[in-house]
Amino acid sequence: MATGAKRDTARQVAVLRQGGRLAVLGAGESGVGAALLGKQKGFEVFVSDNGPIAEKYRDVLNQTGIHWEEGGHSESRILDSDLCVKSPGIPDTAPLVEQLVARGVPVISEIEFASWYCQATLVAITGSNGKTTTAMLTHHLLRQGGMDAALAGNIGDSFAAMVARESHPCYVLEVSSFQLDGILGFRPHIAVITNITPDHLDRYEYRMDRYIASKKRIAENQGPSDFLVFDRDDPVLAREINPEAFAANLLPLTLEEDPGAAGWLKGNDINIQLEKENTPLTMSNDTLALEGRHNMKNTMAAATVARLLGIRKESIRESVANFQGAPHRLERVLKIHHVQYINDSKATNVNATFYALDSMTAPTVWIVGGVDKGNDYKPLMPLVREKVKAIICLGADNSRIVEAFGNAVDLLVETYAMSEAVKVAYKIAERGDNVLLSPACASFDLFKNYEDRGDQFKDAVKAL
């Protein structure tokens, strides 16, 4: 962003943060968090949700005296607002949002709103895949290294709710493209982009360039004292991130042997070295708690952030070895009759499933399927031929999975319930095999969300 534009944005934020009528669209975690912070900062807050509001959030709103409605919008009241914070799940093309914009009412995201009232060091992490694991690992490294750091955003409490309730010198934020679409002056001191691969394209008119532009917004307000950590091996990031386009210090990561990068791989060792350091932080891949080549990158990113914030090398080495990974991400559930059952329900796109299959070191029975988001399954074909002995389809409509992989394996079975899929896998799998749930698809055909899908998988495995 040009200097003049940054000054204009700063002036706009300074005016908006002084108070007025705040409309909050959506009463989930981020919306209620924004409402709490708005109330605390003297706004006249009104929360409106087109659907039902969960009881726990209704209780919070009632206890704090915040006016709310559910099951529809009082448009005249909302359009009379001075500022609107909308849920990331509401697209910019929603009619009410378009009306607000047409009237000149700023519509922002909750992370933007929270950043107005937070003077802490911000670490923001985005990417199509790996952002949750990287955010959790980064938080773990900072906390283990003695820093008072909080974890918020797309994981756990909303950023706004946390700013309203407590104060920390550092926040690690997992942020999505939807949240970044609604920023004005949001400026993390350290930004991380794990990768950019096709995902959520239905929100971007099926245009990859718009999705890429959304992810890059994480760094648009950064200056020369800030840092942007990114995966140089990712072809999109390698093309899009260059010194001419970004004001921040660029810190590339690679699995190639390149001491000119901030993080690189030499043999079996990860190396992290910042500009003014004489020797790198070196960690053997064998000591990492997280498995798979993609997790080497996640570890590199988290360790780079930790070094930027002054965490000791020995503390980082110890912390990456004892980290407990996030649930539903290559989560080892049980080993039954020498067959390992692995829950990777968070793999809601092809790229995430690519990483999962790539990390398999034994013949694999693969459970796949759900709501197809226009997936291109061709990148998975070499891994399927090499590692997958059988495919179990799990979805209301399995036709695209069958079409893509019907000739790639000897056995393909269609199922329509998790208990059925796990029982079939149990019959097929042999000693030494893996059973991997890595759907490559969204979950909401048969499940509430990916957590529900993963929990049902674990329950079904434990019931065997």
Side-chain angles (χ1 to χ4, degrees):
M1 185 183 291
T3 303
K6 286 185 178 180
R7 280 199 297 267
D8 291 343
T9 297
R11 282 194 291 267
Q12 184 183 15
V13 168
V15 171
L16 292 172
R17 72 192 299 272
Q18 292 175 7
R21 294 180 299 275
L22 171 64
V24 177
L25 298 182
E29 178 64 31
S30 68
V32 172
L36 291 173
L37 183 58
K39 173 86 170 178
Q40 184 187 92
K41 298 304 177 183
F43 283 85
E44 180 187 326
V45 183
F46 179 57
V47 176
S48 179
D49 198 307
N50 205 35
I53 299 177
E55 183 177 359
K56 65 176 182 177
Y57 293 130
R58 285 203 307 268
D59 290 345
V60 169
L61 295 171
N62 288 332
Q63 289 164 11
T64 49
I66 294 172
H67 296 287
W68 57 271
E69 66 178 353
E70 62 182 347
H73 298 304
S74 299
E75 292 191 5
S76 60
R77 184 171 181 179
I78 292 167
L79 293 172
D80 195 38
S81 302
D82 301 303
L83 176 68
C84 175
V85 174
K86 77 170 180 67
S87 161
I90 301 172
D92 293 339
T93 53
L96 186 54
V97 175
E98 290 185 332
Q99 290 178 66
L100 283 162
V101 172
R103 290 173 70 106
V105 179
V107 180
I108 62 172
S109 64
E110 167 258 332
I111 61 164
E112 170 67 25
F113 187 58
S115 72
W116 296 356
Y117 307 100
C118 179
Q119 302 306 311
T121 297
L122 300 185
V123 178
I125 298 167
T126 196
S128 302
N129 298 292
K131 57 184 178 290
T132 301
T133 297
T134 302
M136 291 183 67
L137 179 56
T138 299
H139 179 246
H140 176 70
L141 298 189
L142 299 183
R143 295 281 292 183
Q144 293 290 109
M147 180 174 285
D148 178 9
L151 179 64
N154 251 12
I155 182 169
D157 289 341
S158 71
F159 183 27
M162 195 165 280
V163 169
R165 291 171 177 153
E166 53 198 71
S167 178
H168 300 272
C170 179
Y171 291 85
V172 178
L173 307 174
E174 180 198 332
V175 298
S176 69
S177 59
F178 299 164
Q179 290 170 310
L180 291 169
D181 287 336
I183 66 170
L184 292 174
F186 177 72
R187 177 183 176 178
H189 176 50
I190 304 172
V192 178
I193 308 179
T194 58
N195 47 59
I196 300 181
T197 58
D199 198 14
H200 302 299
L201 292 187
D202 53 328
R203 279 281 288 263
Y204 297 97
E205 299 179 351
Y206 295 93
R207 287 181 54 180
M208 188 66 180
D209 60 327
R210 293 192 174 183
Y211 177 57
I212 293 169
S214 179
K215 288 293 189 190
K216 287 164 57 179
R217 293 198 70 189
I218 196 170
E220 74 175 18
N221 294 309
Q222 288 188 306
S225 62
D226 301 318
F227 299 91
L228 174 57
V229 180
F230 67 100
D231 178 5
R232 196 185 66 191
D233 296 338
D234 181 275
V236 173
L237 294 177
R239 181 183 72 241
E240 295 285 338
I241 296 184
N242 57 75
E244 292 74 33
F246 293 87
N249 296 282
L250 304 184
L251 299 180
L253 310 175
T254 178
L255 293 185
E256 298 174 355
E257 185 176 340
D258 179 10
W264 72 95
L265 194 64
K266 182 177 182 181
N268 199 41
D269 291 337
I270 287 174
N271 295 271
I272 306 294
Q273 188 167 14
L274 304 181
E275 203 170 79
K276 296 180 181 178
E277 294 181 325
N278 294 323
T279 57
L281 160 65
T282 301
M283 300 177 285
S284 170
N285 186 42
D286 296 333
T287 65
L288 306 185
L290 298 174
E291 299 179 4
R293 287 173 65 83
H294 63 297
N295 277 323
M296 289 188 210
K297 292 282 183 60
N298 296 337
T299 301
M300 279 184 179
T304 300
V305 174
R307 288 299 296 147
L308 286 168
L309 295 178
I311 304 301
R312 294 182 303 108
K313 294 177 182 178
E314 189 54 41
S315 175
I316 294 172
R317 289 192 192 97
E318 292 174 2
S319 299
V320 297
N322 63 32
F323 176 65
Q324 299 293 313
H328 312 296
R329 294 158 184 83
L330 289 174
E331 177 187 9
R332 293 176 177 268
V333 179
L334 280 178
K335 187 172 275 190
I336 302 174
H337 301 318
H338 302 280
V339 173
Q340 180 67 61
Y341 290 79
I342 302 168
N343 168 27
D344 193 42
S345 182
K346 181 60 170 65
T348 59
N349 58 48
V350 168
N351 193 250
T353 293
F354 181 95
Y355 291 141
L357 290 174
D358 188 50
S359 69
M360 294 297 105
T361 56
T364 298
V365 177
W366 176 31
I367 301 175
V368 57
V371 178
D372 187 297
K373 296 182 284 187
N375 291 347
D376 177 7
Y377 295 106
K378 287 196 275 306
L380 299 180
M381 193 59 73
L383 289 171
V384 171
R385 294 189 185 281
E386 176 188 355
K387 304 194 177 203
V388 175
K389 64 182 291 182
I391 289 176
I392 300 172
C393 302
L394 174 61
D397 179 3
N398 299 311
S399 57
R400 294 208 62 219
I401 303 291
V402 174
E403 181 184 345
F405 300 111
N407 296 321
V409 293
D410 292 333
L411 181 60
L412 185 148
V413 181
E414 291 192 68
T415 63
Y416 302 94
M418 183 62 76
S419 58
E420 180 188 9
V422 170
K423 287 175 183 175
V424 171
Y426 177 77
K427 292 177 182 177
I428 294 172
E430 300 172 300
R431 183 187 182 97
D433 288 352
N434 292 326
V435 172
L436 170 68
L437 169 67
S438 190
C441 297
S443 58
F444 47 83
D445 57 342
L446 300 177
F447 309 95
K448 296 175 186 174
N449 46 45
Y450 77 82
E451 292 99 337
D452 177 41
R453 178 168 60 189
D455 289 340
Q456 287 196 34
F457 175 75
K458 290 189 284 187
D459 289 344
V461 170
K462 291 169 185 175
L464 289 173

